[in-house]
């Protein structure tokens, strides 16, 4: 049965719209594999039995968008926290808030090459998904895959120092009076700071992903931080760096809290990623209140 109710504005970023009762299983499986935040259905005109079928699958009502709306929450992780989207933050971002930055082939999505290096692939890639990765990224490209993905024979693993993910449920943040908003006009100076401090990749259009702030001394940009990945309900704090001459003054800490404050003002939760060997940064983030999240060891694979 197809609903006759209008669907405009029914879904939020990261949600998948269910329009028929016949395809509910396929829609739920695909949404889960794509790291959607939820499946939402407007059951106006549906028979009571069809509504009960949705409820048996875990859909719940009471949505602020109307009595007829039923929603299946797909954000809950194995540990019971609402962090499942963070198992694959790039795909969750590119299928939601950052869809405008996506380059796609089939179910595979990557950021435009001048925006970010992240690629998102489904949780359980099919043979077609792997072929789409090969065609989209090209031979020699390196990308991350989840712990549950079965990598085809002939796709070599790439040694990596690994990384950690930290979530900031307890972080409120604080606006910093010295922080200034950075704009695309600042990108040449940002890239110079990134080259000196090496916090991780920052490309010519990375600044478009969110709000970036910095601290200047005598007009010179000496520290910065900003927003990168944006899974539904979350925003990653990234590009945290301070010029060597000004380290030890707490500038990175202040900017992390400033960016976190802006994220909280939108009703979202901050998260961070760090190289596993960067114990200094990890210790600082934990001191601020971030917690390490166990999501399985990420792996990196090269396209043959």
């Amino acid at each position: 049965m197809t609903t006759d109710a209008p669907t405009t504005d029914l879904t939020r970023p990261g949600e998948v719209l269910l329009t028929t009762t016949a395809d509910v299983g396929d829609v739920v499986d695909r949404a889960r594999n794509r790291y959607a935040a939820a499946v939402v259905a407007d059951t106006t005109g549906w028979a009571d039995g069809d509504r009960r079928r949705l409820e048996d699958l875990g859909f719940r009502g009471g949505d602020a968008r109307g009595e007829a709306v039923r929603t299946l929450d797909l954000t809950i992780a194995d540990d019971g926290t609402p962090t499942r989207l963070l198992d694959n933050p790039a795909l969750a971002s590119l299928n939601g808030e950052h869809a405008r930055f996506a380059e796609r082939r089939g179910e595979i999505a990557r950021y435009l090459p001048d925006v970010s290096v992240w690629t998102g692939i489904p949780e359980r890639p099919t043979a077609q998904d792997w072929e789409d990765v090969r065609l989209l990224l090209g031979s020699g490209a390196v990308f991350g895959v989840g712990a549950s993905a079965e990598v085809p024979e002939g796709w070599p693993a790439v040694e990596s120092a690994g990384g950690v993910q930290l979530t900031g449920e307890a972080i409120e943040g604080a606006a910093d009076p010295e922080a200034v908003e950075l704009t695309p006009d600042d990108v040449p100076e940002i890239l110079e700071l990134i080259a000196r401090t090496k916090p991780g990749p920052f490309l010519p259009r990375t600044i478009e992903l969110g709000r970036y702030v910095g601290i200047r001394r005598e007009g010179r940009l000496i520290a910065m931080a900003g927003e990168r990945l944006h899974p539904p309900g979350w925003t990653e704090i990234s590009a945290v760096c301070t010029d060597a001459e000004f380290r030890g003054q707490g500038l990175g800490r202040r900017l992390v809290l400033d960016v976190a404050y802006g994220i909280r003002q939108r009703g979202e939760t901050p998260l961070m990623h760090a190289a596993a060997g960067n114990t200094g940064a990890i210790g600082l983030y934990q001191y601020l209140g971030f917690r390490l999240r166990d999501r399985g060891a990420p792996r990196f694979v090269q396209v043959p």
Side-chain angles (χ1 to χ4, degrees), residues 18-257:
L18 175 65
T19 58
T20 71
T21 60
D23 60 0
V24 58
D26 289 342
V27 170
V28 169
D29 285 346
R30 185 167 179 264
R32 192 181 303 277
N33 199 30
R34 286 166 53 87
Y35 281 85
V39 179
V40 60
D42 183 348
T43 64
T44 302
W46 287 23
D48 287 343
D50 291 331
R51 291 195 186 95
R52 284 195 295 272
R53 182 185 176 204
L54 291 180
E55 291 164 2
D56 289 343
L57 290 171
F59 283 76
R60 296 292 177 261
D63 195 287
R65 289 166 287 187
E67 289 295 324
V69 172
R70 301 288 186 273
T71 304
L72 176 65
D73 184 356
L74 297 179
T75 65
I76 305 302
D78 291 341
D79 62 1
T81 58
T83 56
R84 179 179 175 272
L85 294 177
L86 304 188
D87 289 348
N88 196 332
L91 190 58
S93 300
L94 290 165
N95 287 339
E97 294 285 352
H98 281 172
R100 65 190 183 280
F101 299 114
E103 193 171 57
R104 301 181 185 277
R105 186 176 178 91
E107 298 293 325
I108 310 305
R110 73 168 179 180
Y111 280 91
L112 295 170
D114 58 352
V115 174
S116 178
V117 299
W118 285 77
T119 296
I121 71 173
E123 179 178 3
R124 301 178 301 277
T126 65
Q128 183 60 56
D129 291 333
W130 289 110
E131 177 63 9
D132 287 337
V133 170
R134 185 182 67 80
L135 293 173
L136 180 62
L137 300 187
S139 179
V142 176
F143 62 100
V145 297
S148 62
E150 295 186 12
V151 180
E153 188 175 345
W155 290 61
V158 177
E159 290 296 325
S160 169
V164 299
Q165 186 179 77
L166 304 100
T167 59
E169 295 92 336
I171 305 295
E172 292 300 327
D176 192 286
E178 197 177 0
V180 296
E181 301 274 342
L182 300 176
T183 74
D185 290 340
D186 297 306
V187 167
E189 195 173 5
I190 290 172
L191 294 176
E192 291 177 1
L193 178 61
I194 294 291
R196 293 195 301 273
T197 58
K198 296 178 172 54
F202 194 100
L203 303 172
R205 294 180 58 200
T206 299
I207 197 166
E208 297 178 28
L209 294 177
R211 173 177 173 263
Y212 282 83
V213 296
I215 290 177
R216 293 184 179 277
R217 297 283 167 81
E218 298 180 353
R220 174 186 168 197
L221 182 66
I222 61 163
M224 66 171 287
E227 301 173 352
R228 188 171 59 175
L229 298 179
H230 199 166
W234 300 82
T235 300
E236 180 198 22
I237 301 176
S238 181
V240 181
C241 57
T242 302
D243 214 325
E245 182 182 347
F246 296 91
R247 290 174 186 164
Q249 301 179 22
L251 302 183
R253 172 186 58 80
R254 288 166 49 189
L255 290 177
V256 167
L257 291 175

